[in-house]
Amino acid sequence: MKRLFDIVLVLMAAPAWAPLALLVALAVRVKLGAPVLFRQERAGKGGRPFTMVKFRTMREGEGTDAERLTRFGRFLRASSLDELPELLLVLKGTMSLVGPRPLPVRYLPRYTPEQMRRHEVCPGITGWAQVNGRNMLSWEDKFAHDVWYVDHRSLALDFKILVLTVLAVFRASGISAAGEATMGEFKGGNQ
């Protein structure tokens, strides 16, 4: 039922998000050049790797993520417009609208068994952790929210999270941890 929910919502919203995605792609090309998309291997359901795509928000080259993040990139992240390409991954079935955010594959050996439970479901564009603090949460709190979602998932909860996500996007809160472009690296365990 969740898969059908995802497909129907994404297709119903396509007249709004598809033209917007084209405009964002053009803006990224003009402001940052090529490539327009950022690609990274992330861990999906069962820990299986997949290539996540987002609109690029950083300049190429040397420096930390915070140093390379452009003003335009900050706007894309604050508005969550950088996430639009992930809607295609939802249609493909690699991601869901709601679920734990997919993290880099290199984190897999660093999880505790309890934290690893976040991979029992498809990763999402938004999730319980995103509407409860996003990148202002510690890694430990973020994973606790992810596991709570795994244990309590339902279509009603997904709908609630989607509504709360829209409100969070308008508030533009919790986008970055202090001194980071998004959040510092997860080193492992109870961090």
Side-chain angles (χ1 to χ4, degrees):
M1 200 63 180
K2 180 178 173 75
R3 177 87 178 106
L4 181 62
F5 176 79
D6 283 347
I7 291 169
V8 168
L9 279 183
V10 171
L11 290 177
M12 282 177 50
W17 67 261
L20 184 57
L22 288 174
L23 287 173
V24 173
L26 286 171
V28 170
R29 180 75 164 109
V30 168
K31 297 269 188 184
L32 298 173
V36 169
L37 297 175
F38 166 77
R39 300 172 196 278
Q40 187 179 54
E41 287 299 301
R42 300 282 178 107
K45 186 173 182 181
R48 287 183 297 280
F50 73 98
T51 302
M52 191 179 79
V53 293
K54 299 167 71 164
F55 285 120
R56 192 161 67 94
T57 58
M58 295 185 204
R59 287 187 308 278
E60 296 285 325
E62 302 281 323
T64 65
D65 285 355
E67 293 167 343
R68 294 183 307 114
L69 181 64
T70 66
R71 196 160 144 207
F72 174 66
R74 270 193 273 289
F75 164 74
L76 290 180
R77 287 183 180 197
S79 62
S80 295
L81 291 172
D82 63 321
E83 310 283 349
L84 285 172
E86 294 171 31
L87 291 169
L88 297 174
L89 294 174
V90 172
L91 289 176
K92 185 178 173 185
T94 308
M95 289 183 71
S96 180
L97 287 172
V98 178
R101 284 293 296 160
L103 296 171
V105 172
R106 71 179 181 275
Y107 290 2
L108 284 172
R110 302 176 189 175
Y111 295 126
T112 65
E114 181 69 5
Q115 292 167 344
M116 191 65 172
R117 292 193 55 228
R118 67 191 309 278
H119 297 288
E120 292 176 14
V121 297
C122 265
I125 292 177
T126 188
W128 191 238
Q130 282 61 49
V131 298
N132 282 287
R134 202 170 173 180
N135 291 321
M136 300 304 286
L137 297 172
S138 68
W139 280 111
E140 187 175 346
D141 288 342
K142 196 178 278 206
F143 294 143
H145 283 298
D146 290 344
V147 172
W148 185 91
Y149 173 79
V150 168
D151 290 339
H152 297 89
R153 65 189 183 267
S154 68
L155 289 181
L157 179 59
D158 282 6
F159 187 76
K160 176 181 179 177
I161 291 169
L162 289 171
V163 170
L164 291 172
T165 297
V166 171
L167 298 174
V169 167
F170 283 113
R171 284 193 310 264
S173 61
I175 297 159
S176 302
E180 299 286 344
T182 51
M183 182 130 185
E185 177 146 349
F186 174 60
K187 304 291 188 196
N190 293 324
Q191 182 183 4

